[in-house]
Amino acid sequence: MRFLNWTGLVLLTALLAACGGSKDSASGGAASGGFGNTPKSAPSGNATAEEVAEEARGDVDCPADIGTPARAASAPVDDVVGVRPGMTYEEAANVVMCTGDLMVVTADNSRGFNMQTYGQTIRQGFNARPAKPRIEKTSKQIMQEMQDDMIARGGNAVRQDMQPGESKWYVGTMGLPGQERVINAAREEWFAEGRNPTMASVEQALLKKYGTPTRNQKSGGNIYLSWAYDPLSRPITETSPLFNQCSGNASPDGGVNLSPDCGIVVAAQVVPTTDNPDLARYMQVGVVNQAGGYEAITATEQALQQQDNERKAKQVEEAGKNADAPQL
Amino acid sequence: MRGWLGLVAALLLVQGCGGPKAPDSASGQAAGTASADTAQARGESAAARPAAAGQGAFANRTGELVNPDNSTMVFLYYDLAGIPPPIDDWVEKDSRVQYVPAIEKAAKRAEVKAELESGVAAVRGIGALRLSMNANLSDYDPSYGEFMVRALAPSSVVEFPAMGQKVSLKFSNGRTAQIWKVPAAEAQQIRDKIGYGGNVSLDVGLRITGVLPAPGGGTISTEVIDYELRDNRSGAMLGRIQLTQ
């Protein structure tokens, strides 16, 4: 079983700020989260959220043009708002950006699988969330914010990562550089204030899309649903030895387990508002292809190793022709 | 999973190959001749060999090993991968050579080297394995009418550590091989035989389908051909499964 290895917090200063360019550009994609070219210089100056999004997104065609074969009719539903395992990095980024005009994709290098890449850079995933206005601050303002944050932390103040009406994504990918494909995806949606759906309606919507869950739990007012399948795409029932082995993760901030013994796993969590347990505050839905992800990592490692072996063999061959002889 | 440790002499190696279906020394040698089509013989590099080692690449290997020890599996890995085994390095690291008085070192070195070379030669032409291990059998799943032989699961890895290497063995068709379909009526009889917390042994026949070299020891891929399940306490046969090819 492979475990997602959080390699530490990395400041994501290189926010997506690219425009245009080829969707197939591996280097550009790696730098900008999958779309467009690397910006010549970091954008500066005040800008509205729309302007920031425009700088970052470039030309986005919606609906996204998907070349990956569609899911077989008999296969389990495995997409989160159109993003599903097996899609290319670029396709997934395109679909995600089409979910909102302000949605911005950012390559995430702060987490990923701990694997030998032989010096190559693999795009192991991206985050996406709505663009925020860019405001240039004075040193005095920055100091004041830092002080406010410190006081808030000292008082255990609750600071939500998301605001009502916003959504965010994490999409994990794996493959040789430029050929990465989705192995897992998760999305969190905070419902707009005053427009919160009922918990029951959200649950029903999930059941309508994904079918009868293999696990349905309610705890602390939250609803937890799971649709787990074995590698032969058979639902994992509670009598299966895999029932407690194949679990998913609904949160975009969570890790992911990959086992070749498990297939597609969709997980969902619905959380109620604090003042009315019948209304949904936010919802998380995640999907992972465990066996597919495991195989993708294994195949990528093997291919990278093969490339490295060939590089070394070539160097040795060239050294036999051109290298200097030692002076003895 | 496997606890056999240490260097084993060529004599033991031959004994290890001497099970009911194991090739005798003569057939081992014959197979060795047949396996002359190695990477070195074709002038391929060691790096290029794994890519070619796909389905059917080992079809001309007819020999079988029965419950090979760790050292034999390391020898086999080198042979399958087409990588020259570091025999001289192994000889120098052998404790019998390291701790023998200096005056006897040369003779001991020659003796150990001969053992290792004999062991390496004995695995040429090996294309099949038969292993005995714990089946790690699941309870019966009435939803699909099956037990799962988790020892054969895709995640299952059998490791053979020896001589500073660790060779892993995996089951390429484990996804389907692990499923043992049993009608519900028979399943209850099997559950009764096994009892609570029963211990079931697995005797599995494997065909080698690939090898992936890696630093510190690579991975041998195998295809499950057939297997038998027995209750360890009573020795009763629980099932004999032949996988469709």
Side-chain angles (χ1 to χ4, degrees), chain B residues 185-217:
Chain B
E186 290 178 32
Q188 187 54 51
Q189 293 174 14
I190 291 169
R191 293 184 78 234
D192 291 343
K193 279 183 189 172
I194 297 170
Y196 182 77
N199 201 358
V200 176
S201 67
L202 168 73
D203 180 21
V204 59
L206 306 164
R207 180 164 58 217
I208 295 169
T209 57
V211 61
L212 179 71

Side-chain angles (χ1 to χ4, degrees), chain A residues 221-251:
Chain A
N222 296 0
I223 297 173
Y224 301 94
L225 301 169
S226 179
W227 297 261
Y229 300 85
D230 68 11
L232 302 175
S233 295
R234 306 180 305 176
I236 296 174
T237 62
E238 64 180 357
T239 56
S240 167
L242 299 173
F243 187 66
N244 293 314
Q245 183 182 330
C246 301
S247 58
N249 193 326
S251 171

Side-chain angles (χ1 to χ4, degrees), chain B residues 111-130:
Chain B
E111 178 189 329
V112 171
K113 186 172 184 178
E115 284 179 1
L116 292 170
E117 286 176 341
S118 175
V120 169
V123 299
R124 287 184 191 136
I126 296 297
L129 301 168
R130 184 157 289 277

Side-chain angles (χ1 to χ4, degrees), chain B residues 136-196:
Chain B
N136 196 8
L137 191 70
S138 76
D139 199 354
Y140 186 65
D141 180 357
S143 300
Y144 294 109
E146 66 194 26
F147 290 93
M148 290 185 85
V149 185
R150 285 177 288 192
L152 300 177
S155 62
S156 183
V157 179
V158 187
E159 292 181 337
F160 299 87
M163 294 175 291
Q165 305 273 299
K166 186 184 283 182
V167 172
S168 301
L169 185 142
K170 292 185 176 180
F171 310 107
S172 59
N173 62 338
R175 199 177 278 188
T176 51
Q178 66 174 337
I179 296 173
W180 179 29
K181 289 281 185 189
V182 177
E186 290 178 32
Q188 187 54 51
Q189 293 174 14
I190 291 169
R191 293 184 78 234
D192 291 343
K193 279 183 189 172
I194 297 170
Y196 182 77

